[in-house]
Amino acid sequence: LALFCTFGLPCCTWSLLSFATTMSAAEVQVADPQCAPMQCDPRVAQVESISTEMQQRASATRSTFKRPAVWVMAFGWSLALCAGFVNAVAFRSWGVFVSHVTGDTTSIGMHIEGYHAGRVDFFPLGLSVAILSSFLCGAFLCGMLIDKNQVHFGGKSFYGIALVGNATLLVVSILVPRHQLSACFAAMACGLQNAMCTSHFGAIVRTTHVTGTITDIGSTTGRMAMIFLRKGFRLSNLNVVERAEVAVDARKLLVLLPMWLSYLVGTVLGAYLETVFDIYALLLPAFVTLSVGLVYMFFRQ
């Protein structure tokens, strides 16, 4: 009896007090929300305030990215496939890449250094400058045709004309006899296409190269992995803000991963068809962009 009074009674009292406090808090949470603030437990009010703040943060996080419509994503994926196709055919036919200009910029810098070191070779330098300038010119033309940096079909955006122009440039690159000039026209077509869809609902989208896409995939999956790592890889341990962050990153991956995969599939198709049709394989992406452009122009009327 003495041991119970000394140890057991305080333990039971503490347990009952804790249970009562928990039940009281639960009752306050489900009580009438119009109750007077003076009648509410301050601790419960603080918990509710924190919960409301977290809900607001979660809502703000979810609003930072809205996944595009399926048809918009399909449009971007088809452009990425065409770009990979064109780049593979261009390298097989002319020995240069035309869908991005990072290598050309590097080549320009290296040849400038070679000029000062006595290694004068103007032809590769001129070719790199010409391809870079052609890509820039294509993006410039897109900026003149499309007045917004987001996919905005309808209104005054001349997406149909831009797509038809892309197809025309690809056809011209086939007909031009000189390989260097052909590569320039193909690079101009890629610049025009790449500027067509640069940003959409917070996700940077580049359709003619995948360096940024792979970077975004890596950083996004890294953020998701760190959130799960902090919570022991258990979804039930995530709070509402962390769940919102994971959901936003997952929606971004649904845009980025198919974009990279489409570009990869395009390069594979381009490599296979170039061995059969040679440079005339470029007629396939030209036909795709021309068809989409004409359909858009028809329905826009």
Side-chain angles (χ1 to χ4, degrees):
L1 182 62
L3 290 174
F4 175 77
C5 293
T6 304
F7 300 102
L9 188 60
C11 291
C12 292
T13 304
W14 177 259
S15 299
L16 290 174
L17 181 61
S18 300
F19 179 76
T21 303
T22 303
M23 291 301 296
S24 177
E27 291 175 358
V28 171
Q29 289 177 358
V30 299
D32 186 2
Q34 297 181 352
C35 65
M38 297 296 295
Q39 299 176 355
C40 297
D41 192 335
R43 291 174 296 180
V44 175
Q46 182 180 5
V47 171
E48 291 180 348
S49 176
I50 295 175
S51 177
T52 302
E53 181 182 357
M54 294 186 67
Q55 290 288 351
Q56 293 175 349
R57 289 174 56 191
S59 178
T61 300
R62 285 190 290 267
S63 64
T64 58
F65 178 78
K66 180 181 178 181
R67 193 183 70 179
V70 175
W71 64 271
V72 174
M73 291 191 296
F75 172 75
W77 298 337
S78 63
L79 289 182
L81 189 146
C82 290
F85 192 105
V86 171
N87 206 34
V89 174
F91 183 76
R92 285 284 187 88
S93 301
W94 309 314
V96 293
F97 293 112
V98 296
S99 69
H100 55 274
V101 292
T102 304
D104 295 297
T105 304
T106 304
S107 176
I108 292 172
M110 294 174 62
H111 283 93
I112 290 175
E113 183 276 335
Y115 174 79
H116 286 280
R119 301 188 302 271
V120 181
D121 194 356
F122 290 106
F123 180 79
L125 175 61
L127 180 59
S128 298
V129 172
I131 292 177
L132 188 147
S133 301
S134 300
F135 192 96
L136 177 64
C137 182
F140 177 81
L141 292 175
C142 183
M144 295 181 64
L145 293 172
I146 299 173
D147 58 350
K148 294 186 178 182
N149 66 339
Q150 292 185 349
V151 175
H152 180 72
F153 289 87
K156 296 181 180 180
S157 298
F158 296 96
Y159 280 93
I161 298 177
L163 290 168
V164 172
N166 183 284
T168 303
L169 290 171
L170 290 178
V171 173
V172 172
S173 69
I174 298 173
L175 300 178
V176 171
R178 295 185 59 183
H179 289 180
Q180 294 78 15
L181 193 57
S182 298
C184 291
F185 278 106
M188 189 181 299
C190 289
L192 177 62
Q193 173 184 314
N194 197 47
M196 211 176 298
C197 182
T198 56
S199 177
H200 189 73
F201 294 110
I204 300 300
V205 176
R206 304 291 186 183
T207 59
T208 66
H209 56 86
V210 293
T211 302
T213 303
I214 293 296
T215 302
D216 292 339
I217 292 174
S219 61
T220 300
T221 53
R223 286 193 300 269
M224 296 176 67
M226 180 54 65
I227 291 175
F228 281 107
L229 183 62
R230 289 198 301 262
K231 299 300 180 179
F233 292 97
R234 297 186 62 180
L235 184 62
S236 58
N237 293 339
L238 271 62
N239 59 40
V240 64
V241 177
E242 292 167 336
R243 288 174 181 267
E245 292 175 349
V246 170
V248 168
D249 288 337
R251 289 198 296 269
K252 289 182 180 180
L253 290 177
L254 288 177
V255 178
L256 298 171
L257 282 172
M259 185 71 68
W260 172 80
L261 185 61
S262 298
Y263 190 93
L264 177 63
V265 171
T267 59
V268 174
L269 291 176
Y272 273 109
L273 294 182
E274 192 276 336
T275 60
V276 179
F277 301 104
D278 196 57
I279 190 62
Y280 295 99
L282 289 178
L283 289 174
L284 178 59
F287 173 77
V288 172
T289 53
L290 177 64
S291 301
V292 175
L294 291 177
V295 168
Y296 172 75
M297 294 172 65
F298 174 78
F299 281 103
R300 184 167 179 256
Q301 297 298 329

